[in-house]
Amino acid sequence: MTASSIRSQLEECFAVIFPDLTAEEISTATMISVEAWDSLGTLTLVSVVEEMFDFQFEINDLPELVSFELIAQYLEIRHAKAA
Amino acid sequence: MDSDSQHIVAVPEQIAAESASPKSEPDSKKRVRFRELVIALLLVFLWDWLVYRGGFAGAAAFILSALALLTCGQMHREKAPGVWIVLSMLVLLCCKIVWLGNWAQVTAAMILLSAYCYSRTGQTPYVFEVLESISLILHSGAEALHVHVSAIKNQDAVVSRPKVLTVLMPCVACFVFGLIFVLANPNLQEFLSEQFQSFFEFLRILFRDFSPLEVVGWVAVFWYAMATLRPMVKIARSDARESSGATESGQSDLYAAARNTLVVLTLLFVVYLVFEFKTLWFREFPKGFHYSGYAHEGAAWLTVALGLSTVCLSLIFRANMQRDPRIRKLKRLAIAWSIENLILAAAVYNRLHIYVDFNGMTRMRIVGLFGMLTVVVGFVLVLYKIDRQRSFMWLVRRQLWAVAFAVFFFVLLPIDMFVVKYNVSQIMAGKAAPAVQISVQEISDDGLPFLLPLLDSPNKRIRDGVIAFLAKRDAELKFNLSVETDYGWPTTQFARRWADQELEAKRLHWITLDPSSSKVQQRWKAFQQYVYQWY
């Protein structure tokens, strides 16, 4: 799985949870910039991402997942380690 | 002074003076004023809706409504000099109650409301006199009700036809024309229908949840309203200067005793202050130092000493001593001793600082600081009293005001916000000891957001403990917010909404944790055991 495919799949997850966001807004989305993105939104997003990528996040890592970019980097690192 | 709706209970000297020319009791005093009955009933309704079935925001709204209604209902136009101060204090306190309320604040607000109503009779709201007027509420209420019942029995309350029409005609006209407008607009009909349904639902819930305790509340509020609208006011005794009645100077028999007492106390204080400085200032305290003995109990005893000094000075410089021609020498001794007392006050603050520096700030230590400040103010008032030859009554009234202001500021200020912020800043600076206060002290909702920096603490046990604590408290916060949503605005507490917003930024640290789970319980217990060493 390449970095670009990880990001495009992540964009799909975001589009499911935040249907009002455009593709451009998704790539720059953060918890602060997206009003609908609160802590419960993060949990929902996490469960969708886990289902999409077939793995589980560490609970202690959740506080770090506050933007699209950070989540994407997290997934790329995890994928690289798994490979 | 308008005597329509107040009784003046004159002091005995005035009764004797007035007995030579008796006045007939004004008929207006016996007249029923339906406005008073309407206001009293309105207050009963507001109390039931906003306080009994509401919450703290409702209580604040009730107090402000009572302020407005009682102001309209009372006939007094006189205002004592302090009335605006009392009014400002009351409004500020109501704002705090809406932010984050408790029953101590509501009690203080009700006392301030009574003080405001008292000051509208033209009397200065001295603490003792206000409390006395509150104690007369039972009597005042009974008198007021007696007036109304007697007037109705004697048919003095018969309302003339023109007066009835003054109210009835506009009501009927408004109803008729309003009804026509509603019938002409289907959306208005729908709106009104919804409002009526809400009203009947409100009545249904009212009768479903009715309890006998509510009736007790109704009677109490009605009585309080009647008593406040027709208060019994004792004319406050004058606190004129002590020298006002004195024309001749004369040596006091107790001059020598007073002089020797001041000399001995001055010397004793010198010795003690040297000891205090040597033992408790500018030094590192060893492990095992008895902090609570010196700082906690010791500070309390020294505060008692300062209070006693205030009493001593008051007793020494009484009226007959003030007329002694040797008073100047005595005053010089008193000034020297007073300076020592102020240094002693600094020593008490130092002891409190030692304790706070050891294991953090708490509400009770804030009480200690306020208490000390009140004692110092009281001491300064004594010095002023001696210098300006004020009476003992003057001194007591001002000192009671100092206590009242201290209590007011304690209930008004967001103490927990300050306490938690201070303790967290100490922990983040490397002193772990204040963490024990998170374990053992209660933290109000507006103090919770100030714990968030500890989530970045390098100490893992503190981090885990705070996460467990916030997991539990966040669940309670969410529950209380849901209650506010269910029960409406009278239960609003803005501090909770603010805390919820602030905690949201870091909620991911604990949102997946079940507060009742063994994992959270273990983390919390581990934290408590760790911090107990500093208790």
Side-chain angles (χ1 to χ4, degrees):
Chain A
M1 202 184 275
T2 62
S4 63
S5 67
I6 287 174
R7 282 173 184 259
S8 71
Q9 283 186 335
L10 187 58
E11 280 176 15
E12 284 175 30
C13 297
F14 267 74
V16 167
I17 304 301
F18 307 114
D20 294 336
L21 295 181
T22 63
E24 198 180 312
E25 284 169 343
I26 285 173
S27 62
T28 57
T30 67
M31 271 187 88
I32 296 167
S33 67
V34 178
E35 202 180 321
W37 188 355
D38 57 10
S39 51
L40 281 177
T42 300
L43 287 186
T44 314
L45 185 61
V46 156
S47 63
V48 168
V49 170
E50 284 177 344
E51 202 175 318
M52 174 77 85
F53 289 88
D54 192 26
F55 88 109
Q56 277 201 326
F57 286 95
E58 298 289 328
I59 284 179
N60 291 337
D61 295 337
L62 287 182
E64 312 304 323
L65 308 175
V66 294
S67 71
F68 175 89
E69 186 57 39
L70 286 171
I71 298 174
Q73 286 174 10
Y74 181 91
L75 290 170
E76 285 162 5
I77 292 168
R78 283 290 296 261
H79 182 257
K81 279 184 183 171
Chain B
M1 195 179 288
D2 190 332
S3 59
D4 186 21
S5 56
Q6 81 176 26
H7 303 275
I8 305 291
V9 178
V11 295
E13 303 87 70
Q14 284 171 303
I15 293 172
E18 286 169 6
S19 64
S21 55
K23 296 173 193 166
S24 61
E25 198 171 270
D27 287 336
S28 57
K29 237 172 83 168
K30 295 188 280 185
R31 183 161 46 96
V32 172
R33 292 173 65 232
F34 282 104
R35 188 196 325 188
E36 293 174 8
L37 290 171
V38 168
I39 286 173
L41 289 171
L42 199 53
L43 284 173
V44 168
F45 167 74
L46 287 172
W47 174 85
D48 193 274
W49 170 38
L50 296 173
V51 181
Y52 185 79
R53 292 171 189 278
F56 287 112
F62 169 75
I63 290 166
L64 291 174
S65 304
L67 176 71
L69 288 169
L70 293 172
T71 304
C72 292
Q74 283 183 325
M75 288 288 286
H76 315 292
R77 291 291 176 261
E78 298 81 19
K79 295 183 188 68
V83 71
W84 293 109
I85 296 173
V86 175
L87 185 61
S88 307
M89 288 167 73
L90 183 56
V91 170
L92 280 173
L93 193 51
C94 286
C95 292
K96 176 67 194 297
I97 293 170
V98 173
W99 171 255
L100 189 66
N102 57 53
W103 289 112
Q105 291 166 351
V106 173
T107 306
M110 288 303 297
I111 293 174
L112 279 173
L113 180 64
S114 301
Y116 168 77
C117 295
Y118 177 84
S119 64
R120 279 182 54 84
T121 64
Q123 305 289 321
T124 306
Y126 296 118
V127 172
F128 183 75
E129 278 76 3
V130 167
L131 294 177
E132 194 180 36
S133 78
I134 293 173
S135 72
L136 289 173
I137 278 176
L138 276 176
H139 195 174
S140 301
E143 279 284 321
L145 284 169
H146 173 71
V147 164
H148 281 88
V149 169
S150 302
I152 290 170
K153 274 186 183 170
N154 297 336
Q155 297 186 342
D156 286 344
V158 170
V159 182
S160 63
R161 188 161 163 268
K163 266 208 167 175
V164 170
L165 288 175
T166 309
V167 176
L168 196 59
M169 267 181 67
C171 286
V172 168
C174 186
F175 177 76
V176 168
F177 280 95
L179 186 62
I180 292 169
F181 294 142
V182 167
L183 290 170
N185 290 279
N187 55 345
L188 276 181
Q189 288 176 36
E190 200 180 318
F191 171 75
L192 270 180
S193 167
E194 284 169 11
Q195 297 307 309
F196 272 119
Q197 278 178 9
S198 302
F199 178 67
F200 286 123
E201 178 64 18
F202 169 76
L203 286 178
R204 189 185 70 80
I205 294 170
L206 182 75
F207 287 109
R208 184 195 68 191
D209 297 340
F210 181 76
S211 88
L213 200 61
E214 223 167 329
V215 178
V216 174
W218 292 349
V219 171
V221 172
F222 187 83
W223 203 281
Y224 175 82
M226 296 306 292
T228 312
L229 288 165
R230 288 177 178 249
M232 297 182 79
V233 178
K234 284 190 181 175
I235 296 171
R237 282 180 281 279
S238 166
D239 56 13
R241 291 165 188 261
E242 278 185 305
S243 59
S244 61
T247 51
E248 292 177 9
S249 67
Q251 292 195 348
S252 167
D253 294 343
L254 294 173
Y255 174 82
R259 180 200 60 206
N260 295 346
T261 301
L262 283 174
V263 167
V264 163
L265 286 173
T266 304
L267 290 172
L268 177 66
F269 269 54
V270 165
V271 169
Y272 179 72
L273 286 171
V274 167
F275 168 78
E276 178 84 11
F277 268 78
K278 266 193 92 171
T279 53
L280 290 175
W281 286 70
F282 314 119
R283 58 168 285 208
E284 291 285 326
F285 297 102
K287 201 172 175 181
F289 178 76
H290 189 197
Y291 282 96
S292 71
Y294 278 94
H296 187 193
E297 292 136 28
W301 279 115
L302 291 185
T303 308
V304 168
L306 272 162
L308 275 177
S309 299
T310 310
V311 172
C312 272
L313 275 179
S314 302
L315 289 174
I316 287 171
F317 286 91
R318 295 186 71 181
N320 51 355
M321 190 66 75
Q322 296 276 14
R323 295 192 292 274
D324 193 301
R326 301 164 289 180
I327 188 68
R328 279 183 136 189
K329 289 182 194 171
L330 212 56
K331 280 189 177 178
R332 277 200 285 269
L333 274 172
I335 288 169
W337 188 46
S338 300
I339 292 171
E340 289 174 332
N341 272 282
L342 292 174
I343 297 172
L344 186 67
V348 175
Y349 277 119
N350 180 54
R351 287 187 180 220
L352 284 171
H353 176 259
I354 289 168
Y355 209 22
V356 168
D357 201 45
F358 167 56
N359 71 352
M361 186 66 80
T362 66
R363 280 184 198 168
M364 283 313 296
R365 288 166 205 185
I366 300 272
V367 169
L369 289 170
F370 271 83
M372 256 311 299
L373 184 62
T374 308
V375 170
V376 169
V377 168
F379 192 81
V380 170
L381 283 170
V382 167
L383 297 178
Y384 185 86
K385 177 238 182 213
I386 293 167
D387 186 54
R388 299 299 166 100
Q389 296 184 6
R390 299 286 186 177
S391 67
F392 187 68
M393 174 81 70
W394 178 95
L395 177 67
V396 169
R397 282 176 171 164
R398 270 72 189 169
Q399 287 183 332
L400 284 175
W401 267 350
V403 173
F405 273 109
V407 170
F408 169 75
F409 281 113
F410 182 75
V411 297
L412 178 75
L413 296 173
I415 300 290
D416 274 16
M417 287 167 103
F418 168 72
V419 166
V420 175
K421 191 172 180 184
Y422 178 87
N423 288 339
V424 166
S425 69
Q426 294 294 296
I427 296 168
M428 295 304 285
K431 290 183 191 175
V436 69
Q437 308 304 347
I438 299 169
S439 164
V440 298
Q441 300 290 337
E442 198 184 312
I443 299 175
S444 57
D445 290 337
D446 60 358
L448 293 178
F450 292 95
L451 291 171
L452 293 178
L454 292 177
L455 298 175
D456 298 322
S457 169
N459 187 318
K460 188 176 184 311
R461 277 178 286 195
I462 289 177
R463 269 201 325 269
D464 287 350
V466 168
I467 288 172
F469 179 75
L470 287 172
K472 290 191 296 180
R473 285 299 300 271
D474 200 26
E476 288 169 19
L477 188 66
K478 289 286 190 196
F479 173 75
N480 288 330
L481 285 169
S482 69
V483 166
E484 279 183 29
T485 309
D486 291 341
Y487 284 85
W489 71 265
T491 57
T492 299
Q493 294 278 258
F494 285 105
R496 288 196 194 125
R497 296 183 186 191
W498 173 77
D500 182 49
Q501 280 172 9
E502 294 294 310
L503 293 178
E504 176 60 27
K506 299 282 186 174
R507 197 164 259 137
L508 288 170
H509 282 87
W510 62 82
I511 195 169
T512 57
L513 299 175
D514 177 2
S516 58
S517 67
S518 58
K519 184 176 179 181
V520 169
Q521 301 297 332
Q522 278 166 12
R523 281 192 184 185
W524 179 241
K525 207 169 176 183
F527 173 75
Q528 286 180 309
Q529 286 168 349
Y530 169 62
V531 298
Y532 192 75
Q533 59 181 299
W534 295 297
Y535 183 63

